[in-house]
Structure formats: structure tokens, C-alpha cells
Amino acid sequence: MDRRTELTEKALDHVLAHGLIGLSLRPLAAALGTSDRMLIYHFGSKDGLITAVVALANQRFAASFQAMAEAAPPARSPGEFVRHAWQALTGSDAAGPIRLYLEMCVLALHEPDRWSTAQQRIREPWLAMLRETLTDLGTPRAQVPALADLILDTLDGLLLSRLISTDPARTDAAADAFADLLR
């Protein structure tokens, strides 16, 4: 394993424990056993480091999601797919990567010139997977792009609600109701 990959993995562990918002290079470097200068050397900038960390979290979660999808019975409708996806998105393996994704959305909201491209790179593979799934399920081609956006945006909102809610069961019920609408 090269040093950049090693640092990305260690930084991901740190960010999963402490979050992205307010991340500072010097304390991160100290926690990783390196210097802020070495982080800049390997990633070009703090933004490059954050982008690499969030991309790694997304890759790991995508692999986990794919394995869960392959183990589950195939979805026969968009609603069934949403139910399977919700189970994966709310599982214990998903909490950290989902929180990082939502933090990246907040960064993109506050500093779009700086973070929108990175956030879109993370979002696009999920949209592509949704488009493919909807096409495979027989959704009319003209409806696929908008429906994929609707599903991903709704799940994003429900995930945010679930993370900040004092009653996650209420959000789970809302996700279930959304799936019912997609039959």
C-alpha cells in the first residue's frame, strides 16, 4: 500500500469519528502521525484530502451496498428497491459514510465553488445505479431521469431527518410510505 492510500484510510477513520465540519489539518496530521506539510504533499490541499476521504467512504459503502443488493431477492418494483435501499442506508455500516455524504452536501451548500464538483462526483454513481435499476424494472425511459432524482433526493432528505431525529421510527415509517407510493 502506498503512503497516500494509507493516509487516506487513516484520515477516513479519523473523519468518521470526528466529522468533516471544522476539520483542521494540523490536528488531523497529529492524529495520523504525520505533519500537515506531508498531507499537503500527498493530497495537494486540504480540499484534495477531504475529497479523497469522502470518495473512499463512498467506495466502501457502494461495495457494501452492492453485496447487500446481491444477497437480497431482486426488487420487482421501484418501491421494493427503495425498501431494500433504505435497509442498507440505515444499517450500522452506513451511518458513518452517510453522515460524511451529508456533511459534504452542507459544505457544497456553503461553498459551492469549492465543493459542488466533489459532491456531484459522489452523487453521480448513485444516480447512475438508480437509472439502471429503474430501466431494468421497466420504468418508461422518459421518466427514468426525473424518478431517479426524486428517489435519491427523497432518500437524502429522509436520511438527514433520521440522523437528527429523536424518533427514527417516524422517519422509517416515512420511508416506507414513500416506497408505497412507488409501487
Side-chain angles (χ1 to χ4, degrees):
M1 175 183 322
D2 71 351
R3 183 70 174 142
R4 185 178 197 277
T5 302
E6 179 186 352
L7 287 169
T8 305
E9 290 184 2
K10 287 180 177 181
L12 174 57
D13 292 340
H14 179 85
V15 169
L16 286 173
H18 303 284
L20 278 177
I21 307 297
L23 182 69
S24 181
L25 278 184
R26 285 194 177 127
L28 174 62
L32 302 181
T34 190
S35 70
D36 55 331
R37 291 176 146 218
M38 288 308 295
L39 291 177
I40 298 299
Y41 171 79
H42 286 289
F43 296 97
S45 66
K46 178 181 171 183
D47 294 0
L49 171 65
I50 290 173
T51 300
V53 165
V54 174
L56 179 60
N58 195 48
Q59 283 176 334
R60 287 183 179 173
F61 181 67
S64 173
F65 185 90
Q66 184 66 34
M68 290 177 76
E70 290 171 0
R76 295 172 296 181
S77 70
E80 277 188 25
F81 176 79
V82 165
R83 279 191 176 81
H84 293 311
W86 188 251
Q87 287 177 338
L89 292 167
T90 58
S92 61
D93 291 345
I98 295 300
R99 191 184 80 241
L100 290 182
Y101 168 73
L102 293 172
E103 285 184 90
M104 179 60 81
C105 291
V106 170
L107 290 172
L109 174 69
H110 285 285
E111 298 180 70
D113 292 342
R114 187 173 174 192
W115 295 111
S116 289
T117 301
Q119 190 272 339
Q120 287 300 314
R121 266 191 308 229
I122 292 163
R123 179 183 166 86
E124 189 54 42
W126 295 101
L127 273 175
M129 182 266 303
L130 274 168
R131 289 184 202 114
E132 182 180 331
T133 298
L134 291 169
T135 300
D136 291 349
L137 291 171
T139 303
R141 277 210 183 282
Q143 295 176 4
V144 166
L147 187 54
D149 282 327
L150 173 65
I151 290 170
L152 187 56
D153 291 343
T154 300
L155 291 175
D156 283 355
L158 289 168
L159 287 165
L160 176 60
S161 178
R162 193 171 198 275
L163 285 173
I164 63 175
S165 175
T166 57
D167 184 10
R170 183 184 60 78
T171 308
D172 293 342
D176 197 47
F178 177 61
D180 285 345
L181 293 173
L182 296 173
R183 283 191 210 170

